[in-house]
């Protein structure tokens, strides 16, 4: 048993506040983007950060708090998107106000509209993910680490799960799906090779029974998400050195 100073005094746990942070990812004009806000209050007033906030009270569930913040920041509800808990971040000193643990959520939806800033944000805007990862955009707190973890989670899950369908609408073409993989992975993929791999992954996509007319060429066949929870075989992410070969 650990010993504490003052054996006669009952040990009390430290007071720790809990927040939620949202990494909201989408594709806009085939560009992989993340939602950021300009903080309207201290600390880091005027800095860019992820949307999020404190639990309202001791009775609010953490997931419910994430849903509330999501709706307040974007007007979106969980039924329209993919949402999963990413990780908890609690390094001492990560927030200058006090000891705060943040539970981060990864959220993905297709072609999200222009955001509206919440009550504690001066503005909200979409930013290319690569600008954050390359430190072209500085984020408050430890939000750069959170975005990096979320992006890597998304990139990894594209290999093993049908997560890519969360970036597109209910019906989509295989070309739409390829744009997701190329934007999220940051690579170019050969269309014929990609088509073969997608069609070979059992239950990944199924025909939607209709076509989309384009300005030139044959109408493109539409698909919808299948019932698979994992991809067999997986779609392996090409390494930077292998990407040119993959594109041939």
């Amino acid at each position: 048993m650990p010993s504490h100073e003052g054996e006669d005094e009952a040990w009390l746990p430290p007071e720790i506040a809990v927040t939620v942070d949202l990494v909201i990812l989408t594709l806009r004009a085939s560009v992989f983007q993340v939602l950021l806000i300009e903080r309207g209050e201290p600390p880091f007033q005027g800095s860019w950060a992820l949307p999020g906030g404190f639990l309202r009270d001791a009775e609010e569930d953490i997931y419910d708090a994430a849903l509330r913040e999501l709706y307040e920041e974007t007007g979106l509800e969980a039924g329209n998107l993919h949402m999963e808990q990413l990780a908890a971040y609690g390094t001492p000193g990560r927030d200058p106000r006090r000891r705060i643990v943040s539970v981060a959520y990864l959220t993905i939806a297709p072609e999200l509209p222009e955001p509206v800033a919440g009550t504690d944000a001066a503005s909200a805007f979409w930013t290319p993910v690569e600008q954050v990862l390359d430190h072209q955009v500085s984020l408050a707190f430890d939000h750069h680490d959170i975005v990096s973890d979320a992006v890597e989670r998304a990139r990894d899950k594209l290999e093993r799960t049908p997560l890519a369908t969360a970036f597109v609408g209910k019906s989509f073409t295989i070309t739409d799906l390829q744009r997701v993989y190329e934007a999220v992975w940051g690579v170019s993929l050969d269309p014929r090779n990609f088509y073969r791999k997608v069609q070979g992954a059992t239950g990944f996509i199924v025909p939607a029974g209709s076509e989309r007319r384009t300005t030139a060429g044959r109408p493109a066949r539409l698909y919808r998400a299948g019932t698979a929870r994992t991809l067999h075989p997986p779609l392996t992410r090409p390494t930077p050195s292998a990407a040119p070969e993959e594109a041939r």
Side-chain angles (χ1 to χ4, degrees):
M1 294 289 292
S3 60
H4 303 284
E5 293 184 6
E7 293 292 340
D8 295 335
E9 299 178 5
W11 178 81
L12 296 176
E15 292 186 4
I16 299 176
V18 178
T19 62
V20 293
D21 283 310
L22 302 174
V23 184
I24 304 173
L25 302 176
T26 194
L27 261 64
R28 291 170 58 84
S30 298
V31 178
F32 191 27
Q33 306 208 33
V34 59
L35 181 65
L36 299 179
I37 63 165
E38 179 185 355
R39 287 186 57 81
E41 300 176 354
F44 302 108
Q45 185 172 3
S47 297
W48 295 7
L50 293 169
F54 286 92
L55 272 64
R56 277 182 170 169
D57 52 52
E59 301 302 319
E60 185 175 33
D61 182 80
I62 294 176
Y63 182 68
D64 291 340
L67 295 180
R68 172 177 55 78
E69 289 291 340
L70 175 69
Y71 184 77
E72 291 176 358
E73 297 291 348
T74 68
L76 294 172
E77 297 181 353
N80 302 324
L81 43 76
H82 172 90
M83 188 170 184
E84 65 178 78
Q85 190 176 117
L86 176 64
Y89 297 82
T91 301
R94 62 177 298 274
D95 192 308
R97 290 169 292 189
R98 57 185 297 188
R99 183 69 189 277
I100 295 176
V101 172
S102 179
V103 180
Y105 284 84
L106 169 61
T107 305
I108 296 171
E111 290 291 339
L112 293 177
E114 290 297 329
V116 177
T119 54
D120 59 349
S123 60
F125 39 84
W126 293 106
T127 301
V129 165
E130 288 303 321
Q131 291 186 11
V132 177
L133 299 183
D134 294 344
H135 295 276
Q136 298 177 42
V137 176
S138 297
L139 301 185
F141 308 104
D142 52 359
H143 288 185
H144 179 275
D145 294 338
I146 298 176
V147 172
S148 296
D149 291 346
V151 169
E152 185 54 36
R153 169 79 67 86
R155 287 173 171 170
D156 180 65
K157 292 191 76 170
L158 285 191
E159 297 187 64
R160 301 175 291 101
T161 76
L163 180 67
T165 59
F167 284 95
V168 293
K170 290 184 178 180
S171 61
F172 50 86
T173 67
I174 291 183
T175 299
D176 294 333
L177 212 58
Q178 180 176 335
R179 292 193 185 105
V180 171
Y181 277 87
E182 291 181 331
V184 176
W185 281 351
V187 299
S188 295
L189 301 172
D190 176 69
R192 288 179 296 181
N193 195 23
F194 181 78
Y195 181 92
R196 177 179 57 81
K197 290 183 176 181
V198 169
Q199 293 285 30
T202 305
F204 185 6
I205 60 173
V206 295
S210 57
E211 296 178 332
R212 178 189 301 165
R213 293 205 167 272
T214 57
T215 55
R218 294 183 301 174
R221 181 176 296 179
L222 292 176
Y223 295 85
R224 56 181 173 82
T227 58
R229 303 292 292 269
T230 58
L231 299 185
H232 298 287
L235 274 69
T236 305
R237 184 188 348 174
T239 61
S241 59
E245 180 179 352
E246 176 75 13
R248 287 203 298 267

